[in-house]
Amino acid sequence: VAALDANGKVHTWGYGPYGGNSLQVQNELVDVVDIFAKGRSFIALKKDASAVVWGEVESSTNMKKLQSQLTDIKHIEYFQNTYAALKKDGSVVSWGWRSDAYPIRSALKDVASLTANSCAFAVLSPTGDAHFWGDGINCGVDWIKKTDITGVKEIISVGTGFLLLRDNTTTPQILADDTDYAYLFGFH
C-alpha cells in the first residue's frame, strides 16, 4: 500500500517486494503529485514531471537506465505488469513484461496519445497513424501490426480491443483478416 500525504511525501507499508518497502527510493519520494499503482509495483509522479518506480518490476528491466528516462512525463498507461509513459516531447518509454516495442520503435518518437487496454498499448501519431504492441496472442496485436492504419482521430480502449475513430466518419473501424474473422482491434 502507498499513501500520498498533503506535503507530497509517499508512505508505504505491506509486503516489501511488491512495493510495501520503498526504502531504496524513499529519498526520491518527495514533491509527489500522484501515485500510479498497478500489479505489484508503483510509480510516483513528481511536480517536476519525473517519475519514480518501485516494487516488483520485470527482472529484465534495467532500473538504472529506466529511471534516467523517466523525465518530462505527460501520461502513464499499464497492462499485465507492463508500463508505458508518454513524455512531453512525444516519445514513449516502456518497461515490464510485454514492453518490447522493437518492431514499432520508430513510431514511438512522435506520439500524440497513448492508451492501453487489458493486454496491449496503442499510440496515435499527430498525423493519425495508429501503432500497437503487447500481447499478440490475446489481443491480436501481431495481426494488427501487419495492417496499415492511418487517418485515425482517436483510439478508445475497450476490454481486450481498441475502437478507432476516423477523421471522416463516426463509424468505428472494423477490419477483417483473410480468414473472414471480423476484428474490432482485439475482439475476435
CSV table of all heavy atoms in Angstrom, one decimal, residues 24-70:
chain,number,residue,atom,x,y,z
A,24,GLN,N,14.6,1.9,-0.8
A,24,GLN,CA,15.6,2.1,-1.8
A,24,GLN,C,15.3,3.4,-2.6
A,24,GLN,O,16.2,4.0,-3.1
A,24,GLN,CB,15.6,1.0,-2.9
A,24,GLN,CG,16.1,-0.3,-2.3
A,24,GLN,CD,16.1,-1.4,-3.3
A,24,GLN,OE1,15.5,-1.3,-4.4
A,24,GLN,NE2,16.9,-2.5,-3.0
A,25,VAL,N,14.1,3.9,-2.6
A,25,VAL,CA,13.8,5.2,-3.3
A,25,VAL,C,13.1,6.2,-2.4
A,25,VAL,O,12.7,7.2,-2.9
A,25,VAL,CB,12.8,4.8,-4.5
A,25,VAL,CG1,13.5,4.0,-5.6
A,25,VAL,CG2,11.5,4.2,-4.0
A,26,GLN,N,13.1,6.0,-1.1
A,26,GLN,CA,12.4,6.9,-0.2
A,26,GLN,C,12.9,8.3,-0.3
A,26,GLN,O,12.0,9.2,-0.3
A,26,GLN,CB,12.6,6.4,1.3
A,26,GLN,CG,11.7,7.1,2.2
A,26,GLN,CD,10.2,6.8,1.9
A,26,GLN,OE1,9.8,5.7,1.8
A,26,GLN,NE2,9.4,7.8,1.8
A,27,ASN,N,14.2,8.6,-0.5
A,27,ASN,CA,14.6,10.0,-0.6
A,27,ASN,C,14.1,10.6,-1.9
A,27,ASN,O,14.1,11.9,-2.0
A,27,ASN,CB,16.2,10.0,-0.6
A,27,ASN,CG,16.7,9.6,0.7
A,27,ASN,OD1,16.1,9.7,1.7
A,27,ASN,ND2,18.0,9.2,0.7
A,28,GLU,N,13.7,9.9,-2.9
A,28,GLU,CA,13.2,10.4,-4.1
A,28,GLU,C,11.7,10.7,-4.1
A,28,GLU,O,11.1,11.3,-4.9
A,28,GLU,CB,13.5,9.5,-5.3
A,28,GLU,CG,15.0,9.3,-5.5
A,28,GLU,CD,15.2,8.2,-6.6
A,28,GLU,OE1,14.7,8.4,-7.7
A,28,GLU,OE2,15.8,7.1,-6.2
A,29,LEU,N,11.0,10.1,-3.0
A,29,LEU,CA,9.5,10.2,-2.9
A,29,LEU,C,9.1,11.4,-2.2
A,29,LEU,O,8.3,11.4,-1.2
A,29,LEU,CB,9.0,8.9,-2.3
A,29,LEU,CG,9.2,7.6,-3.1
A,29,LEU,CD1,8.7,6.4,-2.3
A,29,LEU,CD2,8.5,7.7,-4.4
A,30,VAL,N,9.5,12.6,-2.7
A,30,VAL,CA,9.1,13.9,-2.2
A,30,VAL,C,8.6,14.7,-3.4
A,30,VAL,O,9.0,14.4,-4.5
A,30,VAL,CB,10.3,14.6,-1.5
A,30,VAL,CG1,10.7,13.8,-0.2
A,30,VAL,CG2,11.5,14.8,-2.4
A,31,ASP,N,7.9,15.7,-3.1
A,31,ASP,CA,7.3,16.6,-4.2
A,31,ASP,C,6.5,15.7,-5.1
A,31,ASP,O,6.4,16.0,-6.4
A,31,ASP,CB,8.3,17.4,-4.9
A,31,ASP,CG,9.0,18.4,-4.0
A,31,ASP,OD1,8.4,18.9,-3.1
A,31,ASP,OD2,10.2,18.6,-4.2
A,32,VAL,N,5.8,14.7,-4.6
A,32,VAL,CA,5.0,13.8,-5.5
A,32,VAL,C,3.5,14.4,-5.6
A,32,VAL,O,3.0,14.9,-4.6
A,32,VAL,CB,4.9,12.4,-4.8
A,32,VAL,CG1,3.9,11.5,-5.5
A,32,VAL,CG2,6.3,11.8,-4.8
A,33,VAL,N,3.0,14.4,-6.8
A,33,VAL,CA,1.6,14.9,-7.0
A,33,VAL,C,0.6,13.8,-7.3
A,33,VAL,O,-0.6,14.0,-7.1
A,33,VAL,CB,1.6,15.9,-8.2
A,33,VAL,CG1,2.4,17.1,-7.9
A,33,VAL,CG2,2.1,15.2,-9.5
A,34,ASP,N,1.1,12.6,-7.6
A,34,ASP,CA,0.2,11.4,-7.9
A,34,ASP,C,0.9,10.1,-7.8
A,34,ASP,O,2.1,10.1,-8.0
A,34,ASP,CB,-0.4,11.6,-9.3
A,34,ASP,CG,-1.7,10.8,-9.4
A,34,ASP,OD1,-2.2,10.2,-8.5
A,34,ASP,OD2,-2.3,10.8,-10.6
A,35,ILE,N,0.2,9.1,-7.4
A,35,ILE,CA,0.8,7.7,-7.3
A,35,ILE,C,0.0,6.8,-8.3
A,35,ILE,O,-1.3,6.9,-8.3
A,35,ILE,CB,0.7,7.1,-5.9
A,35,ILE,CG1,1.4,8.0,-4.9
A,35,ILE,CG2,1.2,5.7,-5.9
A,35,ILE,CD1,1.2,7.6,-3.5
A,36,PHE,N,0.7,6.1,-9.1
A,36,PHE,CA,0.1,5.1,-10.0
A,36,PHE,C,0.4,3.7,-9.5
A,36,PHE,O,1.6,3.4,-9.5
A,36,PHE,CB,0.6,5.4,-11.4
A,36,PHE,CG,-0.1,4.7,-12.5
A,36,PHE,CD1,-1.3,5.2,-13.0
A,36,PHE,CD2,0.5,3.6,-13.1
A,36,PHE,CE1,-1.9,4.6,-14.1
A,36,PHE,CE2,-0.2,3.0,-14.2
A,36,PHE,CZ,-1.4,3.5,-14.6
A,37,ALA,N,-0.6,3.0,-9.1
A,37,ALA,CA,-0.3,1.6,-8.6
A,37,ALA,C,-1.1,0.6,-9.4
A,37,ALA,O,-2.3,0.6,-9.5
A,37,ALA,CB,-0.8,1.6,-7.1
A,38,LYS,N,-0.3,-0.3,-9.9
A,38,LYS,CA,-0.9,-1.4,-10.7
A,38,LYS,C,0.0,-2.7,-10.5
A,38,LYS,O,1.2,-2.6,-10.3
A,38,LYS,CB,-0.9,-1.1,-12.2
A,38,LYS,CG,-1.9,-0.1,-12.6
A,38,LYS,CD,-3.3,-0.6,-12.5
A,38,LYS,CE,-4.3,0.4,-13.0
A,38,LYS,NZ,-5.6,-0.1,-13.1
A,39,GLY,N,-0.7,-3.8,-10.5
A,39,GLY,CA,0.1,-5.0,-10.4
A,39,GLY,C,0.8,-5.1,-9.0
A,39,GLY,O,0.2,-4.8,-8.0
A,40,ARG,N,2.0,-5.3,-9.1
A,40,ARG,CA,2.9,-5.4,-7.9
A,40,ARG,C,3.9,-4.3,-7.8
A,40,ARG,O,4.9,-4.5,-7.2
A,40,ARG,CB,3.5,-6.7,-7.8
A,40,ARG,CG,2.5,-7.8,-7.7
A,40,ARG,CD,3.1,-9.2,-7.8
A,40,ARG,NE,2.2,-10.2,-7.6
A,40,ARG,CZ,2.4,-11.5,-7.7
A,40,ARG,NH1,3.6,-11.9,-8.1
A,40,ARG,NH2,1.4,-12.4,-7.5
A,41,SER,N,3.7,-3.2,-8.5
A,41,SER,CA,4.6,-2.1,-8.5
A,41,SER,C,3.9,-0.7,-8.4
A,41,SER,O,2.7,-0.6,-8.6
A,41,SER,CB,5.5,-2.2,-9.7
A,41,SER,OG,4.8,-2.1,-10.9
A,42,PHE,N,4.7,0.3,-8.2
A,42,PHE,CA,4.1,1.7,-8.0
A,42,PHE,C,5.0,2.6,-8.9
A,42,PHE,O,6.1,2.4,-9.1
A,42,PHE,CB,4.2,2.1,-6.6
A,42,PHE,CG,3.4,1.4,-5.6
A,42,PHE,CD1,3.8,0.2,-5.1
A,42,PHE,CD2,2.1,1.8,-5.3
A,42,PHE,CE1,3.0,-0.6,-4.2
A,42,PHE,CE2,1.3,1.1,-4.4
A,42,PHE,CZ,1.8,-0.1,-3.9
A,43,ILE,N,4.3,3.7,-9.3
A,43,ILE,CA,5.0,4.8,-9.9
A,43,ILE,C,4.5,6.1,-9.2
A,43,ILE,O,3.3,6.3,-9.1
A,43,ILE,CB,4.7,4.9,-11.4
A,43,ILE,CG1,5.1,3.7,-12.1
A,43,ILE,CG2,5.4,6.1,-12.0
A,43,ILE,CD1,4.6,3.6,-13.5
A,44,ALA,N,5.5,7.0,-8.8
A,44,ALA,CA,5.1,8.3,-8.2
A,44,ALA,C,5.5,9.3,-9.3
A,44,ALA,O,6.6,9.4,-9.8
A,44,ALA,CB,5.9,8.5,-6.9
A,45,LEU,N,4.5,10.2,-9.6
A,45,LEU,CA,4.7,11.3,-10.5
A,45,LEU,C,5.0,12.5,-9.6
A,45,LEU,O,4.3,12.8,-8.7
A,45,LEU,CB,3.5,11.5,-11.4
A,45,LEU,CG,3.2,10.4,-12.3
A,45,LEU,CD1,1.9,10.7,-13.1
A,45,LEU,CD2,4.3,10.1,-13.3
A,46,LYS,N,6.1,13.2,-10.0
A,46,LYS,CA,6.6,14.3,-9.2
A,46,LYS,C,6.2,15.7,-9.8
A,46,LYS,O,5.9,15.7,-11.0
A,46,LYS,CB,8.1,14.2,-8.9
A,46,LYS,CG,8.4,12.9,-8.2
A,46,LYS,CD,9.9,12.7,-8.0
A,46,LYS,CE,10.5,13.8,-7.1
A,46,LYS,NZ,11.8,13.5,-6.6
A,47,LYS,N,6.3,16.7,-9.1
A,47,LYS,CA,6.0,18.1,-9.6
A,47,LYS,C,6.8,18.4,-10.8
A,47,LYS,O,6.4,19.1,-11.7
A,47,LYS,CB,6.2,19.1,-8.5
A,47,LYS,CG,5.2,19.2,-7.4
A,47,LYS,CD,5.5,20.3,-6.4
A,47,LYS,CE,4.6,20.3,-5.3
A,47,LYS,NZ,5.0,21.3,-4.2
A,48,ASP,N,8.0,18.0,-10.8
A,48,ASP,CA,8.9,18.3,-12.0
A,48,ASP,C,8.7,17.4,-13.2
A,48,ASP,O,9.5,17.4,-14.1
A,48,ASP,CB,10.4,18.3,-11.5
A,48,ASP,CG,10.9,16.9,-11.1
A,48,ASP,OD1,10.1,15.9,-11.2
A,48,ASP,OD2,12.0,16.7,-10.7
A,49,ALA,N,7.6,16.6,-13.2
A,49,ALA,CA,7.2,15.7,-14.3
A,49,ALA,C,8.2,14.5,-14.4
A,49,ALA,O,8.2,13.8,-15.4
A,49,ALA,CB,7.1,16.4,-15.6
A,50,SER,N,9.0,14.2,-13.4
A,50,SER,CA,9.8,13.0,-13.3
A,50,SER,C,8.9,11.9,-12.6
A,50,SER,O,7.9,12.2,-12.0
A,50,SER,CB,11.1,13.2,-12.6
A,50,SER,OG,10.9,13.5,-11.3
A,51,ALA,N,9.4,10.7,-12.7
A,51,ALA,CA,8.7,9.6,-12.1
A,51,ALA,C,9.7,8.7,-11.4
A,51,ALA,O,10.8,8.5,-11.8
A,51,ALA,CB,7.9,8.8,-13.2
A,52,VAL,N,9.2,8.0,-10.3
A,52,VAL,CA,10.0,7.1,-9.5
A,52,VAL,C,9.2,5.8,-9.5
A,52,VAL,O,8.0,5.7,-9.2
A,52,VAL,CB,10.2,7.6,-8.1
A,52,VAL,CG1,11.0,6.6,-7.3
A,52,VAL,CG2,10.8,9.0,-8.1
A,53,VAL,N,9.9,4.7,-9.8
A,53,VAL,CA,9.3,3.3,-9.8
A,53,VAL,C,9.9,2.5,-8.7
A,53,VAL,O,11.1,2.5,-8.4
A,53,VAL,CB,9.7,2.7,-11.2
A,53,VAL,CG1,9.1,1.2,-11.2
A,53,VAL,CG2,9.2,3.5,-12.4
A,54,TRP,N,9.0,1.7,-8.1
A,54,TRP,CA,9.5,0.8,-7.0
A,54,TRP,C,8.5,-0.4,-7.0
A,54,TRP,O,7.4,-0.3,-7.5
A,54,TRP,CB,9.7,1.4,-5.7
A,54,TRP,CG,8.4,1.7,-4.9
A,54,TRP,CD1,7.9,1.0,-3.9
A,54,TRP,CD2,7.6,2.9,-5.0
A,54,TRP,NE1,6.8,1.6,-3.4
A,54,TRP,CE2,6.6,2.8,-4.1
A,54,TRP,CE3,7.6,4.0,-5.9
A,54,TRP,CZ2,5.6,3.7,-3.9
A,54,TRP,CZ3,6.6,5.0,-5.7
A,54,TRP,CH2,5.6,4.8,-4.8
A,55,GLY,N,8.9,-1.5,-6.3
A,55,GLY,CA,8.1,-2.7,-6.2
A,55,GLY,C,8.6,-3.7,-7.1
A,55,GLY,O,9.8,-3.7,-7.5
A,56,GLU,N,7.7,-4.7,-7.5
A,56,GLU,CA,8.2,-5.8,-8.4
A,56,GLU,C,8.1,-5.3,-9.8
A,56,GLU,O,7.0,-5.0,-10.3
A,56,GLU,CB,7.3,-7.0,-8.2
A,56,GLU,CG,7.8,-8.2,-9.0
A,56,GLU,CD,6.9,-9.4,-8.8
A,56,GLU,OE1,5.8,-9.4,-9.3
A,56,GLU,OE2,7.4,-10.4,-8.1
A,57,VAL,N,9.2,-5.3,-10.5
A,57,VAL,CA,9.3,-4.9,-11.9
A,57,VAL,C,9.9,-6.1,-12.6
A,57,VAL,O,10.8,-6.7,-12.0
A,57,VAL,CB,10.2,-3.6,-12.0
A,57,VAL,CG1,10.3,-3.2,-13.5
A,57,VAL,CG2,9.5,-2.5,-11.2
A,58,GLU,N,9.5,-6.3,-13.8
A,58,GLU,CA,10.1,-7.4,-14.6
A,58,GLU,C,11.6,-7.5,-14.5
A,58,GLU,O,12.3,-6.4,-14.6
A,58,GLU,CB,9.7,-7.2,-16.1
A,58,GLU,CG,10.3,-8.1,-17.1
A,58,GLU,CD,9.9,-9.6,-16.9
A,58,GLU,OE1,8.7,-9.7,-16.5
A,58,GLU,OE2,10.6,-10.5,-17.2
A,59,SER,N,12.1,-8.6,-14.2
A,59,SER,CA,13.5,-8.8,-13.9
A,59,SER,C,14.5,-8.4,-15.0
A,59,SER,O,15.6,-8.0,-14.8
A,59,SER,CB,13.8,-10.3,-13.6
A,59,SER,OG,13.5,-11.1,-14.6
A,60,SER,N,14.0,-8.3,-16.3
A,60,SER,CA,14.8,-7.9,-17.4
A,60,SER,C,15.0,-6.4,-17.5
A,60,SER,O,15.7,-5.9,-18.3
A,60,SER,CB,14.3,-8.5,-18.7
A,60,SER,OG,13.0,-7.9,-19.0
A,61,THR,N,14.2,-5.7,-16.7
A,61,THR,CA,14.2,-4.2,-16.8
A,61,THR,C,15.5,-3.7,-16.1
A,61,THR,O,15.8,-4.0,-14.9
A,61,THR,CB,13.0,-3.6,-16.1
A,61,THR,OG1,11.8,-4.1,-16.7
A,61,THR,CG2,13.0,-2.1,-16.1
A,62,ASN,N,16.2,-2.9,-16.8
A,62,ASN,CA,17.4,-2.2,-16.3
A,62,ASN,C,16.9,-0.9,-15.5
A,62,ASN,O,16.7,0.1,-16.2
A,62,ASN,CB,18.4,-1.8,-17.4
A,62,ASN,CG,19.6,-1.2,-16.9
A,62,ASN,OD1,19.6,-0.5,-15.8
A,62,ASN,ND2,20.7,-1.3,-17.7
A,63,MET,N,16.8,-1.0,-14.2
A,63,MET,CA,16.2,0.1,-13.5
A,63,MET,C,17.0,1.4,-13.5
A,63,MET,O,16.4,2.5,-13.6
A,63,MET,CB,15.9,-0.3,-12.0
A,63,MET,CG,14.8,-1.3,-11.8
A,63,MET,SD,13.2,-0.7,-12.5
A,63,MET,CE,12.9,0.6,-11.4
A,64,LYS,N,18.3,1.3,-13.5
A,64,LYS,CA,19.1,2.5,-13.6
A,64,LYS,C,18.9,3.2,-14.9
A,64,LYS,O,18.8,4.4,-15.0
A,64,LYS,CB,20.6,2.2,-13.4
A,64,LYS,CG,20.9,1.8,-11.9
A,64,LYS,CD,22.4,1.6,-11.7
A,64,LYS,CE,22.6,1.3,-10.2
A,64,LYS,NZ,24.0,1.2,-9.9
A,65,LYS,N,18.9,2.4,-16.0
A,65,LYS,CA,18.7,3.0,-17.3
A,65,LYS,C,17.2,3.6,-17.4
A,65,LYS,O,17.0,4.7,-17.9
A,65,LYS,CB,18.9,2.0,-18.4
A,65,LYS,CG,18.7,2.5,-19.8
A,65,LYS,CD,19.0,1.4,-20.8
A,65,LYS,CE,18.8,2.0,-22.2
A,65,LYS,NZ,19.0,1.0,-23.2
A,66,LEU,N,16.3,2.8,-16.9
A,66,LEU,CA,14.9,3.3,-17.0
A,66,LEU,C,14.7,4.5,-16.2
A,66,LEU,O,14.1,5.5,-16.7
A,66,LEU,CB,14.0,2.2,-16.4
A,66,LEU,CG,12.5,2.6,-16.2
A,66,LEU,CD1,11.8,2.9,-17.5
A,66,LEU,CD2,11.8,1.5,-15.4
A,67,GLN,N,15.2,4.6,-15.0
A,67,GLN,CA,14.9,5.8,-14.1
A,67,GLN,C,15.4,7.0,-14.7
A,67,GLN,O,14.8,8.1,-14.6
A,67,GLN,CB,15.6,5.5,-12.7
A,67,GLN,CG,15.1,6.4,-11.6
A,67,GLN,CD,13.6,6.1,-11.4
A,67,GLN,OE1,13.2,5.0,-11.1
A,67,GLN,NE2,12.8,7.2,-11.4
A,68,SER,N,16.5,7.0,-15.5
A,68,SER,CA,17.1,8.2,-16.1
A,68,SER,C,16.2,8.6,-17.3
A,68,SER,O,16.3,9.8,-17.7
A,68,SER,CB,18.5,7.9,-16.6
A,68,SER,OG,18.5,7.0,-17.6
A,69,GLN,N,15.4,7.7,-17.8
A,69,GLN,CA,14.5,8.1,-18.9
A,69,GLN,C,13.1,8.6,-18.5
A,69,GLN,O,12.4,9.2,-19.3
A,69,GLN,CB,14.2,6.8,-19.8
A,69,GLN,CG,15.5,6.3,-20.5
A,69,GLN,CD,15.1,5.0,-21.2
A,69,GLN,OE1,14.1,4.9,-21.8
A,69,GLN,NE2,16.1,4.1,-21.2
A,70,LEU,N,12.8,8.5,-17.2
A,70,LEU,CA,11.5,8.9,-16.7
A,70,LEU,C,11.5,10.3,-16.2
A,70,LEU,O,11.3,10.7,-15.1
A,70,LEU,CB,11.1,8.0,-15.5
A,70,LEU,CG,10.8,6.5,-16.0
A,70,LEU,CD1,10.4,5.7,-14.8
A,70,LEU,CD2,9.8,6.4,-17.1
